[in-house]
Amino acid sequence: MTTWAVLTGEYPPQSGGVADYTRLVADGLVAAGDRVTVFAPATDRPDVSDTGVTVVRLPDHFGRRGRAVVLEHLRRTKADRVLIQYVPHAYGVKAMNVPFARWVRFALRRVAPVWVMFHEVAFPFVRRPLRHNLIAVANRLMARLVADAADRVFVAIPAWGTRLRTLAPRGRPAEWLPVPSNLPTTADHAPVRRAIPAGTVIGHFGTYGGAVAELLEAALPLLLEHAPDRVVLLVGRNAERFRDRLLVRSPDLAGRVVATGVLLPELAAAHLAACDLLVQPYPDGVSCRRGSVMASLALGLPVVTNLGPLSEPGWTTEESGVSLADSASAEAIAAAAERVLALSPADRVALGRSARRWYAARFAVERTISTLRGERS
C-alpha cells in the first residue's frame, strides 16, 4: 500500500476540470488499496467523500501557513509520495505563486518524493496587455522550479513535454498521462430525447467561449438551414447565452436549438448520450485535455473535430472512431459532420463503438491508476 499526499488548487465541491480529475485519481488510488490525503484551498461548502479519501482544507491558498500544514502532515505520516496537480493559476497569487514553486523545489522534495502532473505549463506571451507577460515570465520560472524538483513528471498532452524540455532541461523527461473523462461512462438518454424536439440531434459540449464559439456560430447554421429534421443540443456552462447569440444571427432556427447550462455529471452524460453526433471544433486541435471530447468517446458517440498543434498522435488512426475535419474552419467542420450524418444509423452506432473501445484502451482512468501504481518510481 502506498500513502499519497495530493496537492491541488481545486477539489470538489469546488468546480473545475482539475478538481474533477483529482477526485477521479484519488478515488481510483483508494479503490486500488492505497491511502490518499488531498490538500486543497478552503471552500464554504462541506466536503462529501464516501470513498475513503481524506481531504485537508488549507488555511490559505498554498501560502506560508498552508505550506506549513502540508509539511507537518508529511513529516507526521511519513507519506510515500507527493503528487502535485499543477496548473499555474490554481495556486493563487494571481497565477504568480513563485514562493510555492520555490517551496516545492527546496523544501517539499526533502520530505517525500515529488511527482508532478502538468495540466498546463505557462501562460503564453502576448502583445497586449503587456502586464500579462509578467504572468508568462513568472509561470515559466514556476514550471522550471517545480519540474526540477520532481522525481517523475507527467503531462496532459505531449506538447507540454516539449515545452518543459526547453524550460527545465535538467528535469526528468516528461511522460504523457492522458486525461480521462470526468463524466459517467454510461447514461440513460431516453428522458432527454423525450424532452427535446424530435429529429436528428447534433450536440456540443463546452463552455462556448472565444474562437470555439465563433466556429460553432458559423458551422451550426450550415448544418441546420437545409435540414428541418435536425436539432441542436448545447450542453455546458454559457450554453444558454450562446444559444441566444446564435438565434440573433439566425432567428429562423428558433425552436430547434436547446441549451442546458451547467448540469450535474449524471445529467450531462445523459444529455450527451441523447445526441446522434457531437461537433467539437478546437482552433488549437483536439487533444485528451479536452474533457468534452473524452466524455463523448467514453459514452460511445460519433464525434467530429479537427487536428491542431496541440493534438496528440493517434487521432488519425481508423480505430479512434473520430471523424476529422480538413481544417479548423466552419465549412470544414460542417462538411465533416455531413459525411457522418450521411451514414446509416447502424454505421453511426458502429463509429461510436469504435470510439468507446479506443477510449478504454488509451484514456480510461484505469490506465491512469495503473501508471501511477506501476513498479517504476
Side-chain angles (χ1 to χ4, degrees), residues 314-324 350-351 354-355 357-358:
W315 291 98
T316 57
T317 58
E318 186 174 341
E319 62 265 27
S320 74
V322 173
S323 300
L324 295 171
L351 201 62
S354 293
R357 287 194 296 269
W358 193 59

Side-chain angles (χ1 to χ4, degrees), residues 163-326:
R163 187 167 299 180
L164 285 171
R165 281 199 300 272
T166 300
L167 295 177
R170 294 183 299 177
R172 296 293 181 94
E175 306 169 53
W176 179 30
L177 189 63
V179 177
S181 169
N182 58 20
L183 295 187
T185 57
T186 59
D188 178 12
H189 67 271
V192 178
R193 289 300 291 246
R194 290 194 295 267
I196 64 177
T200 300
V201 181
I202 301 169
H204 177 80
F205 181 30
T207 56
Y208 304 90
V212 172
E214 293 174 6
L215 282 171
L216 286 172
E217 192 173 1
L220 292 178
L222 296 176
L223 292 169
L224 296 183
E225 57 187 358
H226 300 303
D229 62 329
R230 294 176 183 172
V231 177
V232 166
L233 178 57
L234 305 171
V235 182
R237 184 179 293 111
N238 302 318
E240 294 156 310
R241 184 187 308 169
F242 174 80
R243 175 203 57 200
D244 296 343
R245 176 175 138 189
L246 177 65
L247 294 180
V248 168
R249 174 174 173 169
S250 304
D252 55 313
L253 301 182
R256 299 171 61 197
V257 182
V258 179
T260 69
V262 178
L263 297 173
L264 293 173
E266 294 77 11
L267 282 175
H271 280 74
L272 295 185
C275 297
D276 296 289
L277 170 68
L278 271 294
V279 175
Q280 302 289 150
Y282 304 106
D284 54 5
V286 63
S287 69
C288 78
R289 69 192 290 265
R290 301 289 188 177
S292 49
V293 168
M294 290 295 100
S296 305
L297 298 179
L299 287 164
L301 302 171
V303 179
V304 167
T305 186
N306 60 279
L307 297 179
L310 297 186
S311 298
E312 307 96 340
W315 291 98
T316 57
T317 58
E318 186 174 341
E319 62 265 27
S320 74
V322 173
S323 300
L324 295 171
D326 295 332

Side-chain angles (χ1 to χ4, degrees), residues 45-260:
R45 290 178 289 173
D47 289 299
V48 178
S49 177
D50 56 2
T51 60
V53 175
T54 300
V55 181
V56 175
R57 295 291 176 177
L58 301 177
D60 55 22
H61 208 124
F62 286 92
R64 183 176 300 175
R65 290 184 299 151
R67 299 194 296 267
V69 168
V70 174
L71 286 183
E72 190 279 330
H73 174 90
L74 293 177
R75 291 178 176 131
R76 176 168 47 82
T77 62
K78 296 181 170 54
D80 299 304
R81 191 167 298 142
V82 176
L83 177 61
I84 300 175
Q85 303 296 335
Y86 186 81
V87 183
H89 61 262
Y91 288 93
V93 198
K94 298 182 179 179
M96 295 186 290
N97 196 344
V98 176
F100 167 78
R102 287 180 54 83
W103 171 77
V104 173
R105 174 68 176 84
F106 297 108
L108 187 63
R109 67 190 298 260
R110 296 179 179 176
V111 179
V114 172
W115 290 11
V116 182
M117 171 61 168
F118 280 90
H119 294 271
E120 295 180 14
V121 175
F123 190 83
F125 287 106
V126 295
R127 291 188 176 182
R128 60 181 61 180
L130 292 178
R131 66 179 181 275
H132 283 181
N133 289 327
L134 178 61
I135 300 175
V137 170
N139 283 180
R140 281 155 176 77
L141 173 58
M142 292 168 62
R144 178 167 62 84
L145 288 167
V146 171
D148 283 346
D151 295 278
R152 199 168 179 185
V153 175
F154 302 102
V155 289
I157 56 174
W160 293 163
T162 302
R163 187 167 299 180
L164 285 171
R165 281 199 300 272
T166 300
L167 295 177
R170 294 183 299 177
R172 296 293 181 94
E175 306 169 53
W176 179 30
L177 189 63
V179 177
S181 169
N182 58 20
L183 295 187
T185 57
T186 59
D188 178 12
H189 67 271
V192 178
R193 289 300 291 246
R194 290 194 295 267
I196 64 177
T200 300
V201 181
I202 301 169
H204 177 80
F205 181 30
T207 56
Y208 304 90
V212 172
E214 293 174 6
L215 282 171
L216 286 172
E217 192 173 1
L220 292 178
L222 296 176
L223 292 169
L224 296 183
E225 57 187 358
H226 300 303
D229 62 329
R230 294 176 183 172
V231 177
V232 166
L233 178 57
L234 305 171
V235 182
R237 184 179 293 111
N238 302 318
E240 294 156 310
R241 184 187 308 169
F242 174 80
R243 175 203 57 200
D244 296 343
R245 176 175 138 189
L246 177 65
L247 294 180
V248 168
R249 174 174 173 169
S250 304
D252 55 313
L253 301 182
R256 299 171 61 197
V257 182
V258 179
T260 69

Side-chain angles (χ1 to χ4, degrees), residues 35-52:
R35 181 182 294 121
V36 178
T37 301
V38 173
F39 296 87
T43 175
D44 56 2
R45 290 178 289 173
D47 289 299
V48 178
S49 177
D50 56 2
T51 60

Side-chain angles (χ1 to χ4, degrees), residues 336-372:
E338 290 289 3
R339 290 193 292 272
V340 176
L341 292 168
L343 298 173
S344 69
D347 285 341
R348 286 202 300 267
V349 169
L351 201 62
R353 286 174 179 163
S354 293
R356 188 197 296 269
R357 287 194 296 269
W358 193 59
Y359 172 85
R362 300 194 59 171
F363 303 114
V365 67
E366 290 80 7
R367 309 282 81 76
T368 302
I369 301 305
S370 177
T371 299
L372 292 175

